[in-house]
Amino acid sequence: MGITERPRTAGDGIRSLTGASPSRRGAQAVDALRHGWPIELEHGPVLLPAETAIAHGANSATMLISAARAATLKLVNQREAAEPHAPVLVRGADPFDLEAARALSDPALDLSYPLKGPFKAEPFEWVDGAKAALDLARVAGILPAFLVDPQHAGEAQPFAPADLIALTDPARLVIAARAHLPVTASEECEIVAFRSADDLREHVALAFGEARSDRAPLVRLHSECLTGDVLGSLKCDCGPQLDAALFAAAEEARSGGWGVVLYLRQEGRGIGLINKLRAYRLQDQGFDTVDANQRLGLPDDARDFPIAARMLELLGARSVRLMTNNPAKVAALEAAGVRVVERVPHQLPDNPHNARYLATKRDRAGHLLR
């Protein structure tokens, strides 16, 4: 018959923080969230991801969500919601089970569960850990919402804010492979692949021409877009931008310079493919791209520019001519240590499906589009 198991608390069986490197613990925490397993914050509670949790009997008196999602639920004021990705601890009139937790965290369920609450936001002390947990959820590509210290959550993976910092440290990125790759823009192209030990994302660069110390390369930072780059989506301008950037970089090489297109594995400006598709559905309901991300509790732009800076460093590009319409991208790359000697406009015609998207980038994100 076996041995009878005693009841277990949420934190029972938590593995110690010692014994593994911070970056490895960060990778294990990402893996835990994607599988629906709980994590335990250093000096904080156990957190169970609302979206993916498999502990069907789990329930909790409180939930952790972002300020942007809390604002949608009318739980914080405008001032408190000014930092959309700030953490908010929510208490309900009744304990949250997984069904209630998912209804609270997923705006796609707002119409199916219109009468939520009453809820109230409560103060808490483990703010740094909560911020890191919300960011960890974004890295894992899931909704940033957790049951807090739930009963019947199962064994938890230890996690500390320093683990996320170590996991995403750009200094860990190295060149893993490179090869000649003829492409439509030019038969003289080299592809260079980058990776780090614990981060499963593998970024690539397409380089045209010989690296020169006396001439800054023409550079485009392109974030992965499966729908636009591969499937030909008309909702964005990503596919045409990528093609135009490759041809521009190749032409720069033919004129005696060199060009580089970085292909960064940060789908949906860093929120992941599934969350991007959720944002698309909200856009179909009338929300623009910024509001859609915020209703999901996610930043409107979470791209990792230090990774791009590290890739350029490894390629020998300390100064660049940057193809972009976004002044914030120039500032972010310079903050990461790359000198931008010129901003080169990179604008393409709109279409009926992406005109509003481009207008939102111009009016709300400051892109220099005419």
mmCIF file of all heavy atoms in Angstrom, residues 20-54:
data_model
loop_
_atom_site.group_PDB
_atom_site.id
_atom_site.type_symbol
_atom_site.label_atom_id
_atom_site.label_comp_id
_atom_site.label_asym_id
_atom_site.label_seq_id
_atom_site.Cartn_x
_atom_site.Cartn_y
_atom_site.Cartn_z
ATOM 1 N N ALA A 20 23.907 25.559 -6.783
ATOM 2 C CA ALA A 20 23.817 25.842 -8.208
ATOM 3 C C ALA A 20 24.163 27.302 -8.434
ATOM 4 O O ALA A 20 23.945 28.147 -7.572
ATOM 5 C CB ALA A 20 22.411 25.539 -8.735
ATOM 6 N N SER A 21 24.699 27.604 -9.612
ATOM 7 C CA SER A 21 25.038 28.978 -9.927
ATOM 8 C C SER A 21 23.771 29.808 -10.075
ATOM 9 O O SER A 21 22.701 29.276 -10.397
ATOM 10 C CB SER A 21 25.849 29.032 -11.215
ATOM 11 O OG SER A 21 25.030 28.679 -12.316
ATOM 12 N N PRO A 22 23.854 31.134 -9.865
ATOM 13 C CA PRO A 22 22.664 31.973 -10.042
ATOM 14 C C PRO A 22 22.051 31.852 -11.433
ATOM 15 O O PRO A 22 20.820 31.793 -11.569
ATOM 16 C CB PRO A 22 23.196 33.383 -9.779
ATOM 17 C CG PRO A 22 24.339 33.182 -8.839
ATOM 18 C CD PRO A 22 24.978 31.903 -9.293
ATOM 19 N N SER A 23 22.871 31.821 -12.489
ATOM 20 C CA SER A 23 22.304 31.727 -13.833
ATOM 21 C C SER A 23 21.594 30.394 -14.048
ATOM 22 O O SER A 23 20.553 30.333 -14.713
ATOM 23 C CB SER A 23 23.392 31.916 -14.892
ATOM 24 O OG SER A 23 24.379 30.914 -14.783
ATOM 25 N N ARG A 24 22.136 29.336 -13.442
ATOM 26 C CA ARG A 24 21.475 28.042 -13.576
ATOM 27 C C ARG A 24 20.151 28.043 -12.832
ATOM 28 O O ARG A 24 19.148 27.508 -13.323
ATOM 29 C CB ARG A 24 22.386 26.927 -13.046
ATOM 30 C CG ARG A 24 21.765 25.539 -13.155
ATOM 31 C CD ARG A 24 22.720 24.456 -12.733
ATOM 32 N NE ARG A 24 22.106 23.146 -12.796
ATOM 33 C CZ ARG A 24 22.724 22.004 -12.486
ATOM 34 N NH1 ARG A 24 23.997 22.027 -12.112
ATOM 35 N NH2 ARG A 24 22.092 20.853 -12.570
ATOM 36 N N ARG A 25 20.124 28.649 -11.634
ATOM 37 C CA ARG A 25 18.850 28.738 -10.902
ATOM 38 C C ARG A 25 17.842 29.561 -11.687
ATOM 39 O O ARG A 25 16.653 29.256 -11.709
ATOM 40 C CB ARG A 25 19.074 29.338 -9.514
ATOM 41 C CG ARG A 25 19.766 28.398 -8.530
ATOM 42 C CD ARG A 25 19.598 28.899 -7.099
ATOM 43 N NE ARG A 25 20.088 30.265 -6.949
ATOM 44 C CZ ARG A 25 21.321 30.586 -6.554
ATOM 45 N NH1 ARG A 25 22.196 29.625 -6.299
ATOM 46 N NH2 ARG A 25 21.690 31.840 -6.431
ATOM 47 N N GLY A 26 18.318 30.630 -12.356
ATOM 48 C CA GLY A 26 17.418 31.422 -13.177
ATOM 49 C C GLY A 26 16.817 30.602 -14.304
ATOM 50 O O GLY A 26 15.617 30.668 -14.576
ATOM 51 N N ALA A 27 17.663 29.801 -14.970
ATOM 52 C CA ALA A 27 17.167 28.939 -16.045
ATOM 53 C C ALA A 27 16.184 27.907 -15.505
ATOM 54 O O ALA A 27 15.160 27.611 -16.138
ATOM 55 C CB ALA A 27 18.342 28.251 -16.733
ATOM 56 N N GLN A 28 16.481 27.356 -14.339
ATOM 57 C CA GLN A 28 15.578 26.375 -13.740
ATOM 58 C C GLN A 28 14.250 27.020 -13.345
ATOM 59 O O GLN A 28 13.186 26.392 -13.457
ATOM 60 C CB GLN A 28 16.244 25.737 -12.521
ATOM 61 C CG GLN A 28 17.394 24.811 -12.890
ATOM 62 C CD GLN A 28 18.196 24.356 -11.676
ATOM 63 O OE1 GLN A 28 18.271 25.045 -10.655
ATOM 64 N NE2 GLN A 28 18.818 23.186 -11.787
ATOM 65 N N ALA A 29 14.290 28.276 -12.916
ATOM 66 C CA ALA A 29 13.057 28.981 -12.552
ATOM 67 C C ALA A 29 12.198 29.252 -13.789
ATOM 68 O O ALA A 29 10.971 29.117 -13.749
ATOM 69 C CB ALA A 29 13.382 30.282 -11.825
ATOM 70 N N VAL A 30 12.829 29.648 -14.904
ATOM 71 C CA VAL A 30 12.089 29.822 -16.155
ATOM 72 C C VAL A 30 11.429 28.504 -16.556
ATOM 73 O O VAL A 30 10.245 28.459 -16.928
ATOM 74 C CB VAL A 30 13.019 30.324 -17.274
ATOM 75 C CG1 VAL A 30 12.331 30.245 -18.638
ATOM 76 C CG2 VAL A 30 13.466 31.745 -17.001
ATOM 77 N N ASP A 31 12.188 27.423 -16.474
ATOM 78 C CA ASP A 31 11.663 26.101 -16.813
ATOM 79 C C ASP A 31 10.492 25.733 -15.912
ATOM 80 O O ASP A 31 9.482 25.183 -16.375
ATOM 81 C CB ASP A 31 12.788 25.073 -16.696
ATOM 82 C CG ASP A 31 12.382 23.700 -17.211
ATOM 83 O OD1 ASP A 31 12.031 23.601 -18.404
ATOM 84 O OD2 ASP A 31 12.417 22.734 -16.428
ATOM 85 N N ALA A 32 10.613 26.046 -14.622
ATOM 86 C CA ALA A 32 9.532 25.747 -13.685
ATOM 87 C C ALA A 32 8.247 26.475 -14.073
ATOM 88 O O ALA A 32 7.160 25.880 -14.089
ATOM 89 C CB ALA A 32 9.950 26.126 -12.263
ATOM 90 N N LEU A 33 8.347 27.757 -14.404
ATOM 91 C CA LEU A 33 7.154 28.523 -14.753
ATOM 92 C C LEU A 33 6.506 27.998 -16.028
ATOM 93 O O LEU A 33 5.275 27.926 -16.124
ATOM 94 C CB LEU A 33 7.501 29.998 -14.907
ATOM 95 C CG LEU A 33 7.995 30.728 -13.654
ATOM 96 C CD1 LEU A 33 8.099 32.230 -13.921
ATOM 97 C CD2 LEU A 33 7.086 30.468 -12.460
ATOM 98 N N ARG A 34 7.307 27.638 -16.998
ATOM 99 C CA ARG A 34 6.741 27.124 -18.253
ATOM 100 C C ARG A 34 6.043 25.783 -18.037
ATOM 101 O O ARG A 34 5.081 25.462 -18.744
ATOM 102 C CB ARG A 34 7.825 26.998 -19.314
ATOM 103 C CG ARG A 34 8.348 28.344 -19.802
ATOM 104 C CD ARG A 34 9.406 28.190 -20.874
ATOM 105 N NE ARG A 34 8.870 27.575 -22.069
ATOM 106 C CZ ARG A 34 8.302 28.244 -23.077
ATOM 107 N NH1 ARG A 34 8.199 29.553 -23.015
ATOM 108 N NH2 ARG A 34 7.841 27.605 -24.140
ATOM 109 N N HIS A 35 6.516 25.008 -17.058
ATOM 110 C CA HIS A 35 5.888 23.726 -16.754
ATOM 111 C C HIS A 35 4.733 23.855 -15.756
ATOM 112 O O HIS A 35 4.048 22.868 -15.477
ATOM 113 C CB HIS A 35 6.925 22.747 -16.191
ATOM 114 C CG HIS A 35 7.803 22.131 -17.232
ATOM 115 N ND1 HIS A 35 8.965 22.717 -17.685
ATOM 116 C CD2 HIS A 35 7.668 20.978 -17.942
ATOM 117 C CE1 HIS A 35 9.525 21.946 -18.597
ATOM 118 N NE2 HIS A 35 8.763 20.892 -18.782
ATOM 119 N N GLY A 36 4.551 25.039 -15.199
ATOM 120 C CA GLY A 36 3.465 25.222 -14.242
ATOM 121 C C GLY A 36 3.833 24.872 -12.820
ATOM 122 O O GLY A 36 2.950 24.625 -11.986
ATOM 123 N N TRP A 37 5.133 24.874 -12.513
ATOM 124 C CA TRP A 37 5.584 24.561 -11.164
ATOM 125 C C TRP A 37 5.829 25.852 -10.386
ATOM 126 O O TRP A 37 6.143 26.899 -10.973
ATOM 127 C CB TRP A 37 6.875 23.746 -11.215
ATOM 128 C CG TRP A 37 6.768 22.486 -12.021
ATOM 129 C CD1 TRP A 37 5.652 21.723 -12.209
ATOM 130 C CD2 TRP A 37 7.817 21.855 -12.761
ATOM 131 N NE1 TRP A 37 5.939 20.652 -13.026
ATOM 132 C CE2 TRP A 37 7.256 20.702 -13.376
ATOM 133 C CE3 TRP A 37 9.160 22.135 -12.973
ATOM 134 C CZ2 TRP A 37 7.997 19.842 -14.178
ATOM 135 C CZ3 TRP A 37 9.910 21.287 -13.774
ATOM 136 C CH2 TRP A 37 9.343 20.147 -14.354
ATOM 137 N N PRO A 38 5.752 25.820 -9.072
ATOM 138 C CA PRO A 38 5.956 27.036 -8.281
ATOM 139 C C PRO A 38 7.432 27.393 -8.128
ATOM 140 O O PRO A 38 8.316 26.542 -8.289
ATOM 141 C CB PRO A 38 5.344 26.669 -6.924
ATOM 142 C CG PRO A 38 5.478 25.183 -6.828
ATOM 143 C CD PRO A 38 5.336 24.666 -8.241
ATOM 144 N N ILE A 39 7.664 28.657 -7.841
ATOM 145 C CA ILE A 39 8.992 29.124 -7.457
ATOM 146 C C ILE A 39 8.882 29.696 -6.050
ATOM 147 O O ILE A 39 7.797 30.089 -5.604
ATOM 148 C CB ILE A 39 9.544 30.189 -8.431
ATOM 149 C CG1 ILE A 39 8.627 31.418 -8.476
ATOM 150 C CG2 ILE A 39 9.742 29.595 -9.815
ATOM 151 C CD1 ILE A 39 9.191 32.579 -9.284
ATOM 152 N N GLU A 40 10.006 29.730 -5.341
ATOM 153 C CA GLU A 40 10.025 30.326 -4.002
ATOM 154 C C GLU A 40 11.031 31.462 -3.976
ATOM 155 O O GLU A 40 12.214 31.279 -4.273
ATOM 156 C CB GLU A 40 10.395 29.303 -2.935
ATOM 157 C CG GLU A 40 10.122 29.832 -1.534
ATOM 158 C CD GLU A 40 11.362 29.762 -0.623
ATOM 159 O OE1 GLU A 40 12.403 29.272 -1.078
ATOM 160 O OE2 GLU A 40 11.252 30.204 0.518
ATOM 161 N N LEU A 41 10.542 32.659 -3.672
ATOM 162 C CA LEU A 41 11.416 33.829 -3.641
ATOM 163 C C LEU A 41 12.342 33.781 -2.439
ATOM 164 O O LEU A 41 11.928 33.411 -1.330
ATOM 165 C CB LEU A 41 10.593 35.108 -3.568
ATOM 166 C CG LEU A 41 9.728 35.466 -4.773
ATOM 167 C CD1 LEU A 41 9.032 36.799 -4.524
ATOM 168 C CD2 LEU A 41 10.569 35.541 -6.032
ATOM 169 N N GLU A 42 13.578 34.190 -2.658
ATOM 170 C CA GLU A 42 14.488 34.373 -1.543
ATOM 171 C C GLU A 42 13.930 35.463 -0.630
ATOM 172 O O GLU A 42 13.603 36.561 -1.087
ATOM 173 C CB GLU A 42 15.863 34.774 -2.074
ATOM 174 C CG GLU A 42 16.928 34.915 -1.003
ATOM 175 C CD GLU A 42 18.249 35.336 -1.609
ATOM 176 O OE1 GLU A 42 18.235 36.171 -2.531
ATOM 177 O OE2 GLU A 42 19.286 34.817 -1.160
ATOM 178 N N HIS A 43 13.770 35.158 0.657
ATOM 179 C CA HIS A 43 13.188 36.085 1.634
ATOM 180 C C HIS A 43 11.767 36.495 1.255
ATOM 181 O O HIS A 43 11.336 37.625 1.515
ATOM 182 C CB HIS A 43 14.055 37.336 1.809
ATOM 183 C CG HIS A 43 15.504 37.055 2.057
ATOM 184 N ND1 HIS A 43 15.926 36.251 3.097
ATOM 185 C CD2 HIS A 43 16.619 37.448 1.381
ATOM 186 C CE1 HIS A 43 17.248 36.175 3.061
ATOM 187 N NE2 HIS A 43 17.684 36.878 2.037
ATOM 188 N N GLY A 44 11.048 35.591 0.612
ATOM 189 C CA GLY A 44 9.689 35.899 0.198
ATOM 190 C C GLY A 44 8.848 34.645 0.114
ATOM 191 O O GLY A 44 9.254 33.563 0.551
ATOM 192 N N PRO A 45 7.657 34.762 -0.462
ATOM 193 C CA PRO A 45 6.721 33.639 -0.488
ATOM 194 C C PRO A 45 6.954 32.685 -1.650
ATOM 195 O O PRO A 45 7.787 32.912 -2.525
ATOM 196 C CB PRO A 45 5.369 34.353 -0.646
ATOM 197 C CG PRO A 45 5.708 35.542 -1.492
ATOM 198 C CD PRO A 45 7.076 35.986 -1.026
ATOM 199 N N VAL A 46 6.170 31.629 -1.669
ATOM 200 C CA VAL A 46 6.073 30.732 -2.816
ATOM 201 C C VAL A 46 5.088 31.345 -3.808
ATOM 202 O O VAL A 46 4.034 31.862 -3.417
ATOM 203 C CB VAL A 46 5.598 29.332 -2.382
ATOM 204 C CG1 VAL A 46 5.224 28.483 -3.592
ATOM 205 C CG2 VAL A 46 6.682 28.641 -1.563
ATOM 206 N N LEU A 47 5.438 31.309 -5.088
ATOM 207 C CA LEU A 47 4.590 31.867 -6.138
ATOM 208 C C LEU A 47 4.268 30.781 -7.156
ATOM 209 O O LEU A 47 5.177 30.119 -7.676
ATOM 210 C CB LEU A 47 5.294 33.031 -6.842
ATOM 211 C CG LEU A 47 5.698 34.230 -5.975
ATOM 212 C CD1 LEU A 47 6.468 35.257 -6.813
ATOM 213 C CD2 LEU A 47 4.474 34.878 -5.331
ATOM 214 N N LEU A 48 2.980 30.628 -7.457
ATOM 215 C CA LEU A 48 2.532 29.630 -8.422
ATOM 216 C C LEU A 48 1.988 30.353 -9.657
ATOM 217 O O LEU A 48 1.080 31.188 -9.538
ATOM 218 C CB LEU A 48 1.434 28.756 -7.813
ATOM 219 C CG LEU A 48 0.904 27.616 -8.693
ATOM 220 C CD1 LEU A 48 1.997 26.562 -8.909
ATOM 221 C CD2 LEU A 48 -0.336 26.977 -8.054
ATOM 222 N N PRO A 49 2.530 30.091 -10.857
ATOM 223 C CA PRO A 49 2.068 30.811 -12.054
ATOM 224 C C PRO A 49 0.614 30.501 -12.373
ATOM 225 O O PRO A 49 0.240 29.341 -12.554
ATOM 226 C CB PRO A 49 3.014 30.307 -13.149
ATOM 227 C CG PRO A 49 3.484 28.966 -12.666
ATOM 228 C CD PRO A 49 3.559 29.077 -11.175
ATOM 229 N N ALA A 50 -0.195 31.552 -12.470
ATOM 230 C CA ALA A 50 -1.630 31.359 -12.660
ATOM 231 C C ALA A 50 -1.941 30.701 -14.005
ATOM 232 O O ALA A 50 -2.829 29.848 -14.103
ATOM 233 C CB ALA A 50 -2.348 32.699 -12.548
ATOM 234 N N GLU A 51 -1.202 31.080 -15.042
ATOM 235 C CA GLU A 51 -1.538 30.583 -16.378
ATOM 236 C C GLU A 51 -1.230 29.114 -16.559
ATOM 237 O O GLU A 51 -2.047 28.355 -17.110
ATOM 238 C CB GLU A 51 -0.786 31.388 -17.441
ATOM 239 C CG GLU A 51 -1.054 30.877 -18.844
ATOM 240 C CD GLU A 51 -0.190 31.532 -19.909
ATOM 241 O OE1 GLU A 51 0.435 32.571 -19.635
ATOM 242 O OE2 GLU A 51 -0.154 30.997 -21.035
ATOM 243 N N THR A 52 -0.070 28.670 -16.123
ATOM 244 C CA THR A 52 0.406 27.324 -16.469
ATOM 245 C C THR A 52 0.283 26.305 -15.340
ATOM 246 O O THR A 52 0.585 25.130 -15.561
ATOM 247 C CB THR A 52 1.883 27.396 -16.891
ATOM 248 O OG1 THR A 52 2.650 27.994 -15.833
ATOM 249 C CG2 THR A 52 2.050 28.220 -18.157
ATOM 250 N N ALA A 53 -0.137 26.722 -14.155
ATOM 251 C CA ALA A 53 -0.103 25.841 -12.973
ATOM 252 C C ALA A 53 -0.834 24.527 -13.241
ATOM 253 O O ALA A 53 -1.912 24.496 -13.855
ATOM 254 C CB ALA A 53 -0.734 26.553 -11.786
ATOM 255 N N ILE A 54 -0.234 23.442 -12.749
ATOM 256 C CA ILE A 54 -0.829 22.120 -12.890
ATOM 257 C C ILE A 54 -1.344 21.582 -11.560
ATOM 258 O O ILE A 54 -1.925 20.503 -11.516
ATOM 259 C CB ILE A 54 0.184 21.129 -13.490
ATOM 260 C CG1 ILE A 54 1.435 21.037 -12.613
ATOM 261 C CG2 ILE A 54 0.542 21.515 -14.909
ATOM 262 C CD1 ILE A 54 2.427 19.963 -13.051
#
